[in-house]
Amino acid sequence: MIMMKVSLVAENRKNDGVVALIPRDVNRLTKKGIELLVETGAGLGAGFSDDDYISAGAIIVSREEAYKSPLVVRENEISRSELEMMIPGSMSVSM
């Protein structure tokens, strides 16, 4: 099984009540062998705690660490400052 690392990051708009992956999605992906890192507090606006993501198989990380994954997932577009935190050759997917 190929291991892939994916990060879910918090949204950059104030009072935005969305998150790109909910814990149920995270659980499905981790069962497929994907290592899922979740920025601390990423799901709070949508009503999901860090513990919800941990129970689903995610690893909670800092904002800086989350942007070091080969694939960064979020709902809204990425900002320039967030793009600058990413490693060369990585990708960002926005819904």
Side-chain angles (χ1 to χ4, degrees), residues 32-43:
K32 300 272 185 198
I34 296 171
E35 181 180 13
L36 235 134
L37 307 179
V38 176
E39 178 185 346
T40 188

Side-chain angles (χ1 to χ4, degrees), residues 61-79:
V61 297
S62 69
R63 183 170 185 76
E64 293 76 22
E65 188 173 349
Y67 277 97
K68 300 300 180 209
S69 287
L71 179 60
V72 176
V73 178
R74 65 172 319 129
E75 190 72 26
N76 297 309
E77 70 282 350
I78 193 166
S79 71

Side-chain angles (χ1 to χ4, degrees), residues 11-13 16 18 74-78 92-95:
E11 295 304 315
N12 56 8
R13 296 179 184 170
D16 203 343
V18 298
R74 65 172 319 129
E75 190 72 26
N76 297 309
E77 70 282 350
I78 193 166
S92 172
V93 176
S94 301
M95 308 305 159

Side-chain angles (χ1 to χ4, degrees), residues 6-60:
V6 176
S7 287
L8 171 65
V9 296
E11 295 304 315
N12 56 8
R13 296 179 184 170
K14 292 188 186 259
N15 303 316
D16 203 343
V18 298
V19 66
L21 298 171
I22 63 173
R24 180 182 63 224
D25 300 328
V26 168
N27 185 259
R28 289 177 182 155
L29 293 169
T30 58
K31 284 183 178 179
K32 300 272 185 198
I34 296 171
E35 181 180 13
L36 235 134
L37 307 179
V38 176
E39 178 185 346
T40 188
L44 292 176
F48 300 106
S49 69
D50 288 348
D51 286 338
D52 293 330
Y53 284 101
I54 291 168
S55 294
I59 302 166
I60 304 300

